[in-house]
Amino acid sequence: MSSGSRRATRHQQEKDDEVPQWIPGLGSDKPKPRTLGTSFFGYVPDAFVEKTPYLPSERTADSAKKQAELEKSTGQRSESASEISEQDATLQRDMDASSDEGVVTEEVIVPRRVMSSAAEPWNTDALDGVREVACCLVNNALSSASSFVDAKDPSRCNRGHRISVMSAQNRLLIKGGRVVNDDMMQDADVYIEDGVIKQVGQNLHIPGGTKVVEAKGRLVMPGGIDTHTHMQLPFMGTFAVDDFYTGTRAALAGGTTMIMDFALPQRGESLVEAYHRWRAWADPKVCCDYALHVGVTWWSPKVAEEMQELTEDLGINSFKMFMAYKDTWQLGDADLLESFKRCKELGALAQVHAENGDAIKENSKKLLSMGITGPEGHEMSRPEEVEAEATNRACVLSNQVGCPLYVVHVMSKSAADVISAKRKQGYVVFGEPIAACLGTSGKHYWHQCWRHAAAHVMGPPLRPDPDTPRYLMDLLANGDLQATGTDNCTFTASQKALGKDDFTKIPNGVNGVEDRMSVIWEKGVVSGKMDPCRFVAVTSTNAAKIFNIYPKKGRIAVGSDADIVVWNPNATRIISAKTHHQAVDFNIFEGMEVHGIADYVICHGRVVVEEGELRVQSGMGKFVPTPAFCPHVYGRVQDRDRAHAPQKVERAPYDGPVAQLNSQSQGLVTEHITAVQQENFYTRGAQLNDKSPKRPSVKVNNPPGGKTSGSFW
Ligand code: URP
Ligand code: ZN
Ligand code: ZN
């Protein structure tokens, strides 16, 4: 949404007659879907090149390239380029380059027109120098919007003057706001240098040449961390339409400064190769920081080895196992156990997509044979108990091997109840509701319009019980659920239409990455269920803690990354696909009025949203490695293992008669054999006590010394 259209809805702000410039996502320019033939999850290496139209960001990059070529050949600057420079020139402000500490002045920033950057994606220092630089010719710059960095010599402006090394965006002061962390609020200024928070407090000593963001009446909070996205995921024969550029750009617009995406190998494919493929997709495109979870979509000793490489060398500390998507990504119980065991050995967090894939397959067949082919069949084939059963099974299995568990996209009351009950029993388990299930319900699957109904198809489905969003928000507010994602995995109407005659073929996924913060603010804080501190906890801090990047992320404190959202809690906006920044042509929160708007978003100390206006560049985000053995996850696991270690009962050996099994005719039992003779016995076959209603118990759940929670280690 442009600053104009946002401001128009603000209660307390002055009338703004700026014409909205943002172009709605609908219409002929809408990104076209990619198709990958008939493969359900198939990644076809050349599909990007040959078979499909551009993803939105590729279209932009391509048109930028063409524009640059055109400019080169004509020697003229394009109209759009001059528009950009004029807009940016309005940012120029007074500068006192020679001022001393304690004097707050703003530095002139002279933008350089850049069509695309050749900088390494993770090197934002290089980008800092490229995009906006302080020019020595302050006065000239003030009067001229046409000063740019010399293309051949970046140390000089296009007029040949040396550029000042001191760059305004390296220093930033957020002034007059209320800083909110998960555990406290304080009225304080925040001073940032080189992307890191250097001071928090009042009456700070601020060097000259510092850009100031006025935050009076605003909340200054850690930027959001979306724990669950699927940008440009190859899935169900097509690719998610929001890629790492449009998706992360939209994330920033909504106040999210970091996403966590999933590298998902095909069955049989190397996990490490999938990881590198995702990095190659993401690194040149991401506008905000990102981390990766990796899918364990099949099991073998090689997978176990690769999990080690990923955790020890490649910055991965979480693995997602699927209990659904039979015949593609689904793992059976034995493989689930193996993967949980391996996660535990490596100090990684096991994640599960908890739905019973066998039941879903069976139900789908039945529904289709009854002629139920529409989106309502999607929900009917995977009702709540299918999710709750798998959630319970995942909790039990992971607990048997003492592996911490994170249940992604908790969509139903009954699945959430399982998690909250297990937590009460001491299990190390975390639950992640997503924006979709907190903000809307599954009634849409019964909508008369097929396109509308299909747009809500995701797995596990949204629940028809209209009380579900309220219920999940309550659990999130009281601590039974911990972190929030979106499962952002978007498909356009024509992509969804791949399943127009069969709901099992509708690509699963919905939007959310842009609106998560606003939806949770509206349904959580405005509703009175949580205070701003809890909002920060569930949108940012808890994710940073669980994935072991705290306090670098998820906190406003000295030394933390300057990923910050300056939040206007009183402003309102109406969510719509017409104004959102995502590439997808539908928004599941369409028409919802929400309080809470990101007036400013700061990512690594760079102002990327200013008064609602986005200023991003592809590749400016960084990959954030997530280290193993997170203390917030594994901190109590060792002690818990020790406390629950099985105890042998010391007793005198049994010396009475022992039954002897007849090896010839199994089932026949000879009694009155002494214990001494026991060593010679053949041990298979029926036991003496098989028919007895009272068999000796091996249960250790309730021994005289006290109850365990069912796990040995
Ligand atoms: O519908 C969904 N959730 N699509 C993405 C894949 C997944 O299961 O997370
Ligand atoms: Zn999933
Ligand atoms: Zn997902």
Side-chain angles (χ1 to χ4, degrees):
M1 182 186 276
S2 74
S3 64
S5 55
R6 275 173 193 259
R7 280 188 219 137
T9 61
R10 288 179 192 169
H11 285 328
Q12 84 289 8
Q13 287 189 267
E14 74 282 2
K15 195 172 169 294
D16 187 336
D17 50 4
E18 205 179 302
V19 179
Q21 290 161 18
W22 196 80
I23 300 157
L26 298 168
S28 57
D29 194 37
K30 209 58 208 151
K32 304 286 187 301
R34 299 161 171 284
T35 47
L36 290 179
T38 52
S39 150
F40 192 66
F41 293 94
Y43 164 66
V44 181
D46 289 334
F48 270 105
V49 184
E50 301 295 343
K51 297 190 181 155
T52 63
Y54 294 114
L55 282 168
S57 66
E58 291 166 334
R59 182 198 297 277
T60 312
D62 190 66
S63 49
K65 204 166 120 204
K66 286 196 187 120
Q67 184 66 55
E69 277 162 13
L70 188 73
E71 282 183 26
K72 207 169 141 199
S73 65
T74 60
Q76 280 176 357
R77 222 173 81 195
S78 75
E79 222 177 273
S80 60
S82 67
E83 271 167 27
I84 293 167
S85 69
E86 274 151 30
Q87 265 178 26
D88 284 349
T90 61
L91 288 173
Q92 295 175 359
R93 298 187 179 102
D94 277 353
M95 175 190 181
D96 180 357
S98 62
S99 63
D100 285 319
E101 284 204 353
V103 183
V104 178
T105 52
E106 296 178 6
E107 189 176 6
V108 171
I109 48 177
V110 182
R112 176 191 181 184
R113 279 178 300 124
V114 181
M115 303 310 279
S116 63
S117 168
E120 289 293 314
W122 50 86
N123 184 357
T124 51
D125 295 347
L127 288 173
D128 283 344
V130 170
R131 292 187 68 234
E132 291 175 345
V133 292
C135 179
C136 57
L137 284 179
V138 176
N139 295 330
N140 283 355
L142 277 171
S143 60
S144 164
S146 57
S147 292
F148 296 103
V149 178
D150 188 313
K152 290 194 192 100
D153 180 1
S155 68
R156 291 177 187 278
C157 77
N158 61 343
R159 297 168 169 207
H161 297 113
R162 261 207 102 64
I163 290 161
S164 163
V165 185
M166 187 170 57
S167 175
Q169 74 275 1
N170 286 347
R171 294 173 179 176
L172 189 69
L173 178 69
I174 306 172
K175 200 170 162 43
R178 171 162 291 189
V179 171
V180 185
N181 277 311
D182 67 322
D183 54 357
M184 65 177 290
M185 288 195 252
Q186 96 193 89
D187 290 335
D189 300 340
V190 180
Y191 173 66
I192 295 157
E193 231 177 67
D194 297 326
V196 174
I197 298 172
K198 296 284 180 181
Q199 300 180 60
V200 181
Q202 284 173 346
N203 306 316
L204 304 179
H205 285 269
I206 306 299
T210 296
K211 184 178 164 78
V212 178
V213 166
E214 283 296 344
K216 203 165 165 11
R218 308 289 189 265
L219 301 175
V220 179
M221 306 190 287
I225 300 174
D226 185 335
T227 51
H228 189 152
T229 67
H230 300 281
M231 304 305 173
Q232 65 191 75
L233 176 70
F235 190 45
M236 299 180 74
T238 184
F239 279 92
V241 69
D242 273 295
D243 66 1
F244 280 100
Y245 175 70
T246 62
T248 55
R249 186 171 170 273
L252 286 170
T256 289
T257 51
M258 179 173 171
I259 61 160
M260 305 187 77
D261 209 88
F262 292 80
L264 299 176
Q266 285 181 271
R267 185 176 281 272
E269 191 199 355
S270 153
L271 274 60
V272 171
E273 276 169 27
Y275 164 91
H276 286 300
R277 194 164 72 245
W278 254 263
R279 290 289 311 266
W281 284 342
D283 285 341
K285 289 185 184 178
V286 280
C287 301
C288 70
D289 282 0
Y290 80 105
L292 287 174
H293 316 285
V294 173
V296 174
T297 51
W298 59 294
W299 188 254
S300 79
K302 182 175 176 245
V303 170
E305 261 173 46
E306 290 204 322
M307 286 171 76
Q308 181 163 11
E309 186 180 343
L310 286 159
T311 44
E312 289 178 1
D313 306 331
L314 297 172
I316 298 298
N317 76 1
S318 47
F319 294 94
K320 179 177 178 182
M321 277 64 76
F322 290 85
M323 300 168 82
Y325 304 126
K326 196 165 166 59
D327 306 325
T328 50
W329 288 339
Q330 184 176 327
L331 294 188
D333 289 353
D335 290 346
L336 269 180
L337 264 175
E338 290 299 332
S339 60
F340 291 156
K341 262 184 357 203
R342 190 62 174 149
C343 282
K344 166 130 197 220
E345 286 162 4
L346 297 170
L349 181 57
Q351 301 185 300
V352 279
H353 173 130
E355 283 186 294
N356 186 320
D358 299 272
I360 293 168
K361 189 167 182 187
E362 198 55 36
N363 291 342
S364 301
K365 257 195 293 185
K366 195 164 132 195
L367 287 158
L368 288 171
S369 75
M370 291 164 70
I372 299 175
T373 59
E376 68 281 11
H378 175 74
E379 205 284 334
M380 291 178 193
S381 68
R382 41 218 302 168
E384 281 205 33
E385 62 180 6
V386 164
E387 184 188 356
E389 182 279 325
T391 305
N392 186 67
R393 186 158 35 103
C395 288
V396 170
L397 293 181
S398 61
N399 192 51
Q400 293 309 300
V401 295
C403 177
L405 182 71
Y406 181 98
V407 183
V408 303
H409 46 45
V410 178
M411 299 296 288
S412 63
K413 288 171 158 185
S414 39
D417 282 345
V418 170
I419 293 165
S420 106
K422 295 298 181 192
R423 284 176 65 85
K424 287 189 181 79
Q425 291 166 31
Y427 286 38
V428 185
V429 54
F430 306 96
E432 170 205 80
I434 60 171
C437 67
L438 295 167
T440 187
S441 80
K443 67 173 194 285
H444 297 282
Y445 297 129
W446 281 264
H447 198 279
Q448 280 300 312
C449 166
W450 186 91
R451 193 273 178 269
H452 180 101
H456 291 80
V457 165
M458 65 164 302
L462 291 157
R463 299 304 173 189
D465 177 349
D467 196 35
T468 307
R470 181 202 61 80
Y471 192 86
L472 295 177
M473 186 59 84
D474 280 338
L475 294 194
L476 189 62
N478 74 21
D480 279 358
L481 300 171
Q482 291 73 39
T484 54
T486 56
D487 205 357
N488 192 95
C489 185
T490 50
F491 300 100
T492 61
S494 61
Q495 289 177 294
K496 291 275 181 183
L498 291 167
K500 69 184 176 52
D501 303 316
D502 177 349
F503 64 83
T504 65
K505 296 194 168 67
I506 301 171
N508 284 204
V510 297
N511 65 288
V513 76
E514 181 166 355
D515 300 317
R516 179 183 66 115
M517 300 283 276
S518 291
V519 167
I520 296 173
W521 184 268
E522 185 67 26
K523 306 279 176 183
V525 182
V526 177
S527 70
K529 291 179 193 291
M530 54 175 79
D531 65 8
C533 291
R534 183 66 192 163
F535 173 81
V536 166
V538 302
T539 55
S540 180
T541 310
N542 288 357
K545 287 179 179 172
I546 291 169
F547 295 102
N548 210 7
I549 47 176
Y550 181 84
K552 176 182 162 70
K553 304 286 185 191
R555 188 157 191 90
I556 306 236
V558 173
S560 295
D561 281 359
D563 296 341
I564 295 172
V565 55
V566 178
W567 193 251
N568 184 344
N570 300 315
T572 60
R573 68 184 174 104
I574 296 187
I575 299 178
S576 175
K578 295 194 180 76
T579 47
H580 71 199
H581 295 83
Q582 298 204 222
V584 69
D585 56 1
F586 192 92
N587 192 313
I588 57 166
F589 308 114
E590 185 74 34
M592 186 189 291
E593 184 175 31
V594 287
H595 293 77
I597 291 185
D599 273 355
Y600 293 88
V601 179
I602 290 129
C603 196
H604 279 291
R606 302 162 63 92
V607 181
V608 290
V609 175
E610 186 153 5
E611 303 255 342
E613 199 73 45
L614 265 172
R615 300 179 179 280
V616 299
Q617 188 171 29
S618 59
M620 63 188 266
K622 287 182 177 144
F623 174 73
V624 180
T626 53
F629 289 107
C630 173
H632 299 279
V633 172
Y634 274 89
R636 69 187 171 102
V637 169
Q638 237 182 345
D639 287 337
R640 193 177 141 77
D641 287 352
R642 208 177 307 115
H644 292 164
Q647 301 285 323
K648 182 179 175 187
V649 176
E650 296 299 341
R651 58 167 75 86
Y654 173 76
D655 60 359
V658 177
Q660 185 181 22
L661 303 181
N662 185 332
S663 61
Q664 247 72 53
S665 52
Q666 289 187 13
L668 275 184
V669 176
T670 312
E671 296 193 37
H672 310 304
I673 309 292
T674 66
V676 184
Q677 292 169 292
Q678 190 179 14
E679 279 167 26
N680 303 325
F681 292 170
Y682 184 72
T683 51
R684 282 187 294 143
Q687 301 291 309
L688 183 64
N689 57 3
D690 263 2
K691 297 242 160 56
S692 163
K694 279 195 179 170
R695 302 179 61 180
S697 172
V698 291
K699 269 186 164 170
V700 293
N701 266 10
N702 226 345
K707 188 172 173 170
T708 76
S709 68
S711 160
F712 289 158
W713 45 79

